[in-house]
Amino acid sequence: MSTTFRTAVVRTPGGPDSIEIIDVPVVEPGPGQVRVEIAGAAVNPVDLAVAAGVFHGRGLVDQPHHTGLGWDFAGTVVAAGPGVDLPVGSRVAGLVDGFDRDFGTYAEQLVVAAADIALVPAGLDLIAAATVPTNGLAAAQLLDLLGDGDGRRLLVTGAAGAVGGYVVTLAQDRGWQVTGLARARDEEFVRGLGAGFTTRATPGWDAVADGGVLQEQGLALVRDGGLFAGVQPGAAPAAERGITVHVVLTRPDGARLAQLLDATASGHLPARVHAVVPLDQVASAHRAVAKGGVRGRYVLQP
Ligand SMILES: NC(=O)c1ccc[n+]([C@@H]2O[C@H](COP(=O)([O-])OP(=O)(O)OC[C@H]3O[C@@H](n4cnc5c(N)ncnc54)[C@H](OP(=O)(O)O)[C@@H]3O)[C@@H](O)[C@H]2O)c1
């Protein structure tokens, strides 16, 4: 067995062209950890920001050699540390959060806490499963901040995006009356999720979930005393008019993720893969996502 594996990193971040594929040593899982052979790693906006040096620029990354890329993954358990009862061969998915790390999911393998991952149900392939963790949990955890809707009116901006699409469905499950704000071409998708649709919202919503990162413009759509939930930690719009401003910071949660994967396998949540590309083509995938307009995720295959 090889003693090294391939992974995509940035040394001096500077956008897609600064991404390198390097060989790093295989690590054995410690107590409570598993090693996963990765089948797919979704490309998310946060990865583009790491590769561009956004978080380095804010002083949030302090890596002496290189910074790992990628949050989402799905794959197969190939080794388990002490205290783990997941058998080798289990199909799993999960996310690693944060920016300041020398490893990521854009890799052939990953060592991760078993509590942070979930089994992928038999009816769901690993590529589709790789698109679920970060944005499914972001949506679920955002809705924890807003609470149950009890029939109140929620506007979801960026409703055709990854976070927004999940919020549209999960919010209806929690009793919100949902309208999605998206591009004109996204109408069929948003209405297909059972929500109302608009390309231009007027103010007065009980709550706004800001998957489209409209920030102050999104806050302006909330009624006095309403709720706003943003997706940019460290950049929450200033509260005004008695509005409660929340910002989600997605965290791994294996139990919750298992529910989201089951809901994807059953078709309750959409499985949205735009394209599967080899890990070697990570830079072109990043360039394509940066242009905007992509629906569904690029999934990197190591
Ligand atoms: N805080 C956290 O823990 C956390 C977790 C997950 C994601 N996020 C953040 O959440 C944001 C969304 O992520 P994502 O993966 O859902 O991105 P995404 O899939 O690109 O979705 C964003 C959507 O918003 C749409 N949009 C943007 N401006 C719009 C406008 N003015 N009107 C209508 N639609 C508009 C985009 O359309 P076009 O493509 O046509 O522009 C796109 O469909 C990112 O900034 C991401 O980093 C944060």
Coordinates of all heavy atoms in Angstrom, one line a residue, residues 161-205:
G161 N -29.8 28.2 -5.5 CA -28.5 27.8 -5.1 C -28.5 26.6 -4.2 O -29.6 26.1 -3.9
A162 N -27.3 26.2 -3.8 CA -27.3 25.0 -2.9 C -27.9 25.2 -1.6 O -28.8 24.5 -1.2 CB -25.8 24.6 -2.8
V163 N -27.5 26.3 -0.8 CA -28.0 26.5 0.5 C -29.5 26.9 0.3 O -30.4 26.3 1.0 CB -27.3 27.7 1.2 CG1 -28.0 28.0 2.5 CG2 -25.8 27.3 1.5
G164 N -29.8 27.8 -0.6 CA -31.2 28.3 -0.8 C -32.1 27.2 -1.1 O -33.2 27.1 -0.6
G165 N -31.7 26.3 -2.0 CA -32.6 25.2 -2.4 C -33.0 24.3 -1.2 O -34.1 23.9 -1.1
Y166 N -32.0 24.0 -0.4 CA -32.3 23.2 0.8 C -33.2 24.0 1.8 O -34.1 23.4 2.4 CB -31.0 22.8 1.5 CG -30.2 21.7 0.8 CD1 -28.9 22.0 0.5 CD2 -30.8 20.5 0.5 CE1 -28.1 21.0 -0.1 CE2 -30.0 19.5 -0.1 CZ -28.7 19.8 -0.4 OH -27.9 18.8 -1.0
V167 N -32.9 25.3 1.9 CA -33.7 26.1 2.9 C -35.2 26.1 2.4 O -36.1 25.9 3.2 CB -33.2 27.5 3.0 CG1 -34.2 28.4 3.8 CG2 -31.8 27.5 3.7
V168 N -35.4 26.2 1.1 CA -36.8 26.2 0.6 C -37.6 25.0 1.0 O -38.7 25.1 1.5 CB -36.8 26.4 -1.0 CG1 -38.2 26.1 -1.5 CG2 -36.3 27.7 -1.4
T169 N -37.0 23.8 0.9 CA -37.7 22.6 1.3 C -37.8 22.5 2.8 O -38.9 22.2 3.4 CB -37.0 21.4 0.7 OG1 -37.0 21.5 -0.7 CG2 -37.7 20.1 1.1
L170 N -36.6 22.6 3.5 CA -36.6 22.4 5.0 C -37.5 23.4 5.7 O -38.0 23.1 6.8 CB -35.2 22.4 5.5 CG -34.3 21.3 4.9 CD1 -32.8 21.5 5.4 CD2 -34.8 19.9 5.3
A171 N -37.6 24.6 5.2 CA -38.4 25.6 5.8 C -39.9 25.3 5.8 O -40.6 25.5 6.7 CB -38.1 27.0 5.2
Q172 N -40.3 24.8 4.6 CA -41.7 24.3 4.5 C -42.0 23.2 5.5 O -43.0 23.2 6.2 CB -42.0 23.9 3.1 CG -42.0 25.1 2.1 CD -42.1 24.6 0.7 OE1 -43.2 24.5 0.2 NE2 -41.0 24.4 0.0
D173 N -41.0 22.3 5.7 CA -41.1 21.2 6.7 C -41.3 21.8 8.1 O -42.0 21.2 9.0 CB -39.9 20.3 6.7 CG -39.7 19.6 5.4 OD1 -40.6 19.5 4.6 OD2 -38.6 19.0 5.3
R174 N -40.8 23.0 8.3 CA -40.9 23.6 9.7 C -42.0 24.7 9.7 O -42.0 25.5 10.6 CB -39.5 24.2 10.1 CG -38.4 23.2 10.2 CD -37.2 23.7 10.9 NE -37.5 24.1 12.3 CZ -36.5 24.2 13.2 NH1 -35.3 23.9 12.9 NH2 -36.8 24.6 14.4
G175 N -42.9 24.6 8.8 CA -44.1 25.5 8.9 C -44.0 26.9 8.4 O -44.9 27.7 8.6
W176 N -42.9 27.2 7.6 CA -42.9 28.5 7.0 C -43.6 28.5 5.7 O -43.6 27.4 4.9 CB -41.4 28.9 6.7 CG -40.6 29.2 8.0 CD1 -39.9 28.3 8.7 CD2 -40.5 30.4 8.6 NE1 -39.3 28.9 9.8 CE2 -39.7 30.2 9.8 CE3 -41.0 31.7 8.4 CZ2 -39.3 31.3 10.6 CZ3 -40.7 32.7 9.2 CH2 -39.9 32.5 10.4
Q177 N -44.2 29.6 5.3 CA -44.8 29.8 4.0 C -43.7 30.5 3.2 O -43.3 31.6 3.4 CB -46.0 30.7 4.2 CG -46.8 30.9 2.9 CD -47.8 32.0 3.1 OE1 -48.4 32.2 4.2 NE2 -48.0 32.8 2.1
V178 N -43.1 29.7 2.2 CA -41.9 30.1 1.6 C -42.1 30.6 0.2 O -42.8 30.1 -0.7 CB -40.9 28.9 1.5 CG1 -39.6 29.2 0.8 CG2 -40.6 28.4 2.9
T179 N -41.3 31.7 -0.1 CA -41.2 32.2 -1.5 C -39.7 32.3 -1.8 O -38.9 32.7 -1.0 CB -41.8 33.7 -1.6 OG1 -43.2 33.6 -1.4 CG2 -41.5 34.2 -3.0
G180 N -39.3 31.8 -3.0 CA -37.9 31.8 -3.4 C -37.6 33.0 -4.3 O -38.4 33.2 -5.3
L181 N -36.6 33.7 -4.0 CA -36.1 34.8 -4.9 C -34.9 34.2 -5.7 O -33.9 33.7 -5.2 CB -35.6 36.0 -4.1 CG -34.8 37.1 -4.9 CD1 -35.8 37.9 -5.8 CD2 -34.1 38.0 -4.0
A182 N -35.1 34.2 -7.1 CA -34.0 33.6 -7.9 C -34.1 34.2 -9.3 O -34.9 35.1 -9.5 CB -34.2 32.0 -8.0
R183 N -33.2 33.7 -10.2 CA -33.2 34.3 -11.6 C -34.4 33.8 -12.3 O -35.0 32.7 -11.9 CB -32.0 33.8 -12.3 CG -30.6 34.0 -11.6 CD -30.2 35.4 -11.6 NE -28.9 35.5 -10.9 CZ -28.3 36.6 -10.5 NH1 -29.0 37.8 -10.6 NH2 -27.2 36.6 -9.9
A184 N -34.8 34.5 -13.3 CA -36.0 34.1 -14.1 C -36.0 32.6 -14.6 O -36.9 31.9 -14.5 CB -36.2 35.0 -15.3
R185 N -34.8 32.2 -15.0 CA -34.6 30.8 -15.5 C -34.8 29.7 -14.4 O -34.9 28.5 -14.7 CB -33.3 30.6 -16.2 CG -32.1 30.6 -15.4 CD -30.8 30.4 -16.3 NE -29.6 30.5 -15.5 CZ -29.0 29.3 -15.1 NH1 -29.4 28.2 -15.4 NH2 -27.8 29.5 -14.5
D186 N -34.8 30.1 -13.2 CA -34.9 29.2 -12.0 C -36.3 29.0 -11.6 O -36.6 28.2 -10.6 CB -34.1 29.7 -10.8 CG -32.6 29.8 -11.2 OD1 -32.1 28.8 -11.8 OD2 -32.0 30.8 -10.8
E187 N -37.3 29.6 -12.3 CA -38.7 29.5 -11.8 C -39.2 28.1 -11.6 O -39.8 27.7 -10.6 CB -39.6 30.4 -12.7 CG -41.0 30.3 -12.2 CD -41.9 31.3 -12.9 OE1 -41.5 32.1 -13.7 OE2 -43.1 31.4 -12.5
E188 N -38.9 27.3 -12.7 CA -39.5 25.9 -12.6 C -38.9 25.1 -11.4 O -39.6 24.4 -10.7 CB -39.1 25.2 -14.0 CG -39.8 23.9 -14.1 CD -39.5 23.2 -15.4 OE1 -39.0 23.9 -16.4 OE2 -39.6 22.0 -15.5
F189 N -37.6 25.3 -11.2 CA -36.9 24.6 -10.1 C -37.5 25.0 -8.8 O -37.9 24.2 -7.9 CB -35.4 24.9 -10.1 CG -34.7 24.3 -8.9 CD1 -34.5 23.0 -8.7 CD2 -34.4 25.2 -7.8 CE1 -33.9 22.5 -7.6 CE2 -33.7 24.7 -6.7 CZ -33.5 23.3 -6.6
V190 N -37.7 26.3 -8.6 CA -38.1 26.8 -7.3 C -39.6 26.4 -7.0 O -40.0 25.9 -6.0 CB -38.0 28.4 -7.2 CG1 -38.6 28.9 -5.9 CG2 -36.5 28.7 -7.2
R191 N -40.4 26.6 -8.1 CA -41.8 26.2 -7.9 C -42.0 24.7 -7.7 O -42.8 24.2 -7.0 CB -42.7 26.7 -9.1 CG -42.9 28.2 -9.2 CD -44.0 28.6 -10.1 NE -44.1 30.0 -10.3 CZ -44.7 30.9 -9.5 NH1 -45.2 30.5 -8.3 NH2 -44.7 32.1 -9.8
G192 N -41.0 24.0 -8.3 CA -41.0 22.5 -8.2 C -40.8 22.1 -6.8 O -41.1 20.9 -6.4
L193 N -40.2 22.9 -6.0 CA -39.9 22.6 -4.6 C -41.2 23.0 -3.7 O -41.1 22.9 -2.5 CB -38.7 23.4 -4.0 CG -37.4 23.1 -4.7 CD1 -36.3 23.9 -4.2 CD2 -37.0 21.6 -4.6
G194 N -42.2 23.5 -4.4 CA -43.4 23.8 -3.6 C -43.5 25.2 -3.1 O -44.4 25.5 -2.3
A195 N -42.6 26.0 -3.5 CA -42.5 27.4 -3.0 C -43.1 28.4 -4.0 O -43.2 28.1 -5.2 CB -41.1 27.8 -2.7
G196 N -43.5 29.6 -3.5 CA -43.7 30.7 -4.4 C -42.4 31.2 -5.0 O -41.3 30.8 -4.6
F197 N -42.6 32.0 -6.0 CA -41.4 32.4 -6.8 C -41.4 33.9 -7.1 O -42.5 34.4 -7.5 CB -41.3 31.6 -8.1 CG -40.2 32.1 -9.0 CD1 -38.9 31.7 -8.8 CD2 -40.4 33.0 -10.0 CE1 -37.8 32.1 -9.6 CE2 -39.4 33.4 -10.9 CZ -38.1 33.0 -10.6
T198 N -40.3 34.6 -7.0 CA -40.2 36.0 -7.5 C -38.8 36.2 -8.0 O -37.8 35.6 -7.5 CB -40.6 37.0 -6.4 OG1 -40.5 38.3 -6.9 CG2 -39.6 36.9 -5.2
T199 N -38.6 37.2 -8.9 CA -37.3 37.6 -9.3 C -37.0 39.0 -8.6 O -35.8 39.4 -8.7 CB -37.2 37.8 -10.8 OG1 -38.2 38.7 -11.3 CG2 -37.3 36.5 -11.6
R200 N -38.0 39.6 -8.1 CA -37.8 40.9 -7.5 C -38.8 41.0 -6.3 O -40.0 41.2 -6.5 CB -38.0 42.0 -8.5 CG -37.5 43.4 -7.9 CD -37.7 44.5 -8.9 NE -36.9 44.2 -10.1 CZ -36.9 45.0 -11.2 NH1 -37.8 46.1 -11.2 NH2 -36.2 44.8 -12.3
A201 N -38.2 41.0 -5.1 CA -39.1 41.0 -3.9 C -39.3 42.4 -3.4 O -38.4 43.3 -3.5 CB -38.5 40.1 -2.8
T202 N -40.5 42.7 -2.9 CA -40.7 43.9 -2.2 C -40.7 43.7 -0.7 O -40.8 42.5 -0.2 CB -42.1 44.5 -2.6 OG1 -43.1 43.4 -2.4 CG2 -42.2 45.0 -4.0
P203 N -40.4 44.7 0.1 CA -40.2 44.5 1.5 C -41.5 44.0 2.3 O -42.6 44.1 1.7 CB -39.9 45.9 2.0 CG -39.4 46.7 0.8 CD -40.2 46.1 -0.3
G204 N -41.3 43.6 3.5 CA -42.4 43.2 4.4 C -42.4 41.8 4.8 O -43.4 41.3 5.4
W205 N -41.3 41.0 4.6 CA -41.3 39.6 4.9 C -41.1 39.4 6.4 O -40.3 40.1 7.1 CB -40.2 38.9 4.1 CG -40.4 39.0 2.7 CD1 -40.1 40.0 1.9 CD2 -41.2 38.1 1.9 NE1 -40.6 39.8 0.6 CE2 -41.2 38.7 0.6 CE3 -41.8 36.9 2.1 CZ2 -41.9 38.0 -0.5 CZ3 -42.4 36.2 1.0 CH2 -42.5 36.8 -0.3

